Amino acid sequence: MPLHFDNTYARLPAPFFARVNPTAVSSPAWLAVNPELGALLGLTADELPSPELLAVLAGNAVAPGSEPIALAYAGHQFGNFVPRLGDGRAILLGEVVGTDGVRRDVQLKGSGPTPFSRGGDGRAAIGPVLREFLVSEAMHALGVPTTRSLAAVATGERVYREDVLPGAVLTRIATSHLRVGTFQYFAARQDRDALDALVRYAIARHHPQLAESPTPALSLFDAVCDAQRALVARWLSVGFVHGVMNTDNCAISGETIDYGPCAFLDAYEPARHFSSIDRNGRYAWSQQPRIVRWNLARLAETLIPLLGDDDASTVKMLEARLGTFAERFEETWSATLRAKFGLVDAQEGDAALAQEFLAQMAADHADFTQTFRALTHMAAGADDGVRAHFTDRARITTWLAAWRTRLEREPSDRDVIVARMRRANPAIIPRNHRVEEALSAAQRGDLGPFERLRAALARPFDDDAASADLTTPPGEEQWGYRTFCGT
Ligand code: AMP
Ligand code: MG
């Protein structure tokens, strides 16, 4: 078998998982494959796609070395704690060390029921599977840490949701599937030994340099805070709204995980949220920094028993760390935002300059991606393109003059500034209406639009005239876009 498994999670104690094989499907067929990611996992072009691998990734065969398991975890869903969630429709086949030396999980999603299915069918429909494939790979190309997609396979079977839909299985690749909810699972069971083993495992896997720390749990916590801070700042910078930031969807690795109800801002509306089940906007674009801090507080709580006998002083120390989170997030976000304006040096007045631009964008519902891209073109010498996004021309003209003056105080050359801005301001993101269009066609058996969009999203910082239609915002009739939890 081409995938060389080398499993560590299956060596952890029994409560961490349940052994369960995928359920075979009637007629597997490839929907999409990712040869570039395959190569990273050691797969040649003959192996991906191949009939042998198709059988494995459909769940019809267990590869040598694979030890299929469903992982145990808990989680706060929209603020309510559920002590036992777990992989209800996902099965970890095992781990593969890539050609880059990085260990990654190979997981099937939609591969049949597990002991954690809680009455669910363990299956996934083609739409959510291709959506995760498309958006996770787009996020990767955008430079946002994320789980990735190796393959999508049609099962030839139907799944029953509100409609009857074609079934599919996704092969998800992640540097691990540890979540805040994994820690919560053992904390809720008051299983201190398991928590201890989990901390050691997470450190070995993600931060081996912390193994010698005198306070491993605390060092791990700090590292997870750093990773999540960086992640959410990247989300904001590309207008990404995760949509379901439950603690079971908050990865210890700092990778984006779970693309069920995610969406991207078209117009800049900070309070925008898309998920039909997120009635109060708990997970709106601008709420994400606050929510990630809330999730990290839940992680902190699980670690208290590991941090000494004096719980009161432990709590104080963790609270102090969480207390500085907002401030440190602001620093990270300011730096990320500065890059969008071509600024690297932090100078007096930068924050006000950025805020004034965002305020004008919000007032005019300016398109988030196009407006920043137009600014990039302007830095490169293009005439205008920015002003067209605003109604108060005098106000934006004043702002542009101030921005130009500020750019002159940057030590870098113009080309360096422009190159930096191009990387910070993509030309193309997975526009909600384009994603929907591609998924609808795929559901009807036409993968053409999916492949076309996928190819364009692989080079998000290039201006490609052939994909120009994929970069524009939707028409007015699509402004009320909503997402549904993709189960
Ligand atoms: P999610 O909303 O996708 O993060 O999933 C939350 C929980 O519901 C996880 O424990 C999933 O494994 C479980 N789940 C979601 N969909 C299904 C399904 N079709 N069958 C079984 N379990 C599911
Ligand atoms: Mg999930």
Side-chain angles (χ1 to χ4, degrees):
M1 172 45 56
L3 285 169
H4 297 285
F5 287 104
D6 173 32
N7 307 328
T8 58
Y9 211 82
R11 306 276 87 75
L12 286 168
F16 279 80
F17 54 80
R19 294 195 189 274
V20 54
N21 284 349
T23 306
V25 300
S26 62
S27 357
W30 295 112
L31 287 168
V33 292
N34 189 342
E36 175 235 321
L37 179 57
L40 192 60
L41 299 177
L43 297 172
T44 65
D46 290 341
E47 293 162 341
L48 179 69
S50 66
E52 293 75 29
L53 205 56
L54 178 63
V56 169
L57 302 186
N60 286 13
V62 176
S66 166
E67 297 171 274
I69 53 179
L71 312 194
Y73 56 85
H76 274 91
Q77 300 188 307
F78 290 92
N80 303 307
F81 186 61
V82 185
R84 187 182 148 97
L85 287 167
D87 287 336
R89 55 166 166 165
I91 294 180
L92 178 64
L93 297 183
E95 299 147 34
V96 171
V97 178
T99 55
D100 57 355
V102 176
R103 174 179 299 277
R104 292 184 180 83
D105 281 3
V106 179
Q107 188 206 56
L108 300 187
K109 193 169 170 187
S111 51
T114 76
F116 300 104
S117 293
R118 295 174 297 148
D121 60 3
R123 289 298 179 190
I126 181 174
V129 163
L130 289 181
R131 178 187 182 78
E132 175 157 345
F133 193 115
L134 199 59
V135 183
S136 66
E137 287 303 309
M139 292 284 269
H140 173 72
L142 285 165
V144 184
T146 177
T147 65
R148 300 195 58 192
S149 300
L150 181 66
V153 169
T155 61
E157 298 178 355
R158 290 158 191 214
V159 295
Y160 298 87
R161 299 292 182 259
E162 261 159 48
D163 296 316
V164 182
L165 301 164
V169 179
L170 180 77
T171 307
R172 176 157 75 186
I173 307 298
T175 57
S176 89
H177 281 86
L178 298 174
R179 308 138 193 271
V180 169
T182 316
F183 289 77
Q184 291 181 293
Y185 181 78
F186 295 109
R189 294 159 56 118
Q190 302 190 331
D191 188 341
R192 196 184 181 286
D193 290 345
L195 273 174
D196 202 47
L198 182 56
V199 167
R200 278 185 282 119
Y201 183 86
I203 286 178
R205 191 129 179 204
H206 294 294
H207 305 284
Q209 76 284 5
L210 302 179
E212 302 306 318
S213 161
T215 50
L218 196 58
S219 302
L220 175 66
F221 179 68
D222 288 340
V224 176
C225 288
D226 288 347
Q228 285 292 330
R229 189 155 45 88
L231 177 66
V232 174
R234 295 291 296 129
W235 285 358
L236 297 190
S237 76
V238 295
F240 180 73
V241 182
H242 182 282
V244 61
M245 290 176 71
N246 295 334
T247 57
D248 52 306
N249 294 331
C250 184
I252 296 305
S253 62
E255 289 172 345
T256 311
I257 188 169
D258 212 322
Y259 286 89
C262 71
F264 284 80
L265 294 182
D266 291 303
Y268 177 60
E269 294 165 336
R272 187 73 167 95
H273 56 102
F274 297 88
S275 171
S276 54
I277 55 171
D278 187 6
R279 278 186 217 96
N280 304 316
R282 178 180 169 91
Y283 299 143
W285 180 83
S286 58
Q287 289 297 315
Q288 297 179 117
R290 200 179 64 78
I291 287 294
V292 79
R293 180 183 172 282
W294 192 89
N295 288 346
L296 292 166
R298 305 291 77 74
L299 175 63
E301 285 163 3
T302 70
L303 301 174
I304 293 169
L306 302 179
L307 290 169
D309 299 328
D310 182 0
D311 284 0
S313 69
T314 301
V315 168
K316 259 213 176 103
M317 176 186 62
L318 289 169
E319 274 173 352
R321 281 174 148 77
L322 286 163
T324 59
F325 184 84
E327 195 182 308
R328 293 201 295 153
F329 181 84
E330 262 333 292
E331 283 166 21
T332 307
W333 173 227
S334 301
T336 311
L337 197 53
R338 269 203 310 276
K340 289 181 81 66
F341 291 101
L343 313 175
V344 163
D345 255 15
Q347 294 185 11
E348 181 95 28
D350 285 353
L353 189 72
Q355 287 317 315
E356 166 62 9
F357 190 72
L358 289 175
Q360 292 193 40
M361 280 177 71
D364 280 323
H365 304 267
D367 185 83
F368 188 73
T369 304
Q370 282 197 328
T371 308
F372 274 108
R373 191 69 180 180
L375 202 61
T376 308
H377 290 315
M378 228 168 148
D383 229 11
D384 202 336
V386 174
R387 258 174 282 251
H389 292 277
F390 298 90
T391 46
D392 189 339
R393 298 293 167 97
R395 190 175 167 195
I396 189 63
T397 302
T398 306
W399 184 89
L400 284 168
W403 173 62
R404 283 187 190 289
T405 309
R406 170 61 184 84
L407 270 189
E408 279 158 22
R409 293 203 309 270
E410 270 299 301
S412 322
D413 289 344
R414 174 66 68 96
D415 335 350
V416 177
I417 292 172
V418 172
R420 194 187 295 140
M421 283 185 77
R422 291 179 75 88
R423 300 263 332 150
N425 299 314
I428 182 168
I429 53 153
R431 298 265 181 190
N432 309 319
H433 64 300
R434 293 302 185 193
V435 172
E436 290 303 329
E437 204 172 75
L439 301 187
S440 303
Q443 218 161 290
R444 295 191 305 267
D446 176 10
L447 285 159
F450 171 86
E451 286 300 342
R452 177 169 180 249
L453 184 55
R454 180 185 168 194
L457 290 168
R459 306 166 62 86
F461 304 110
D462 294 353
D463 293 301
D464 176 8
S467 331
D469 59 313
L470 301 175
T471 68
T472 49
E476 204 169 333
E477 70 289 352
Q478 279 159 313
W479 284 359
Y481 181 70
R482 298 199 77 60
T483 58
F484 300 89
C485 221
T487 56

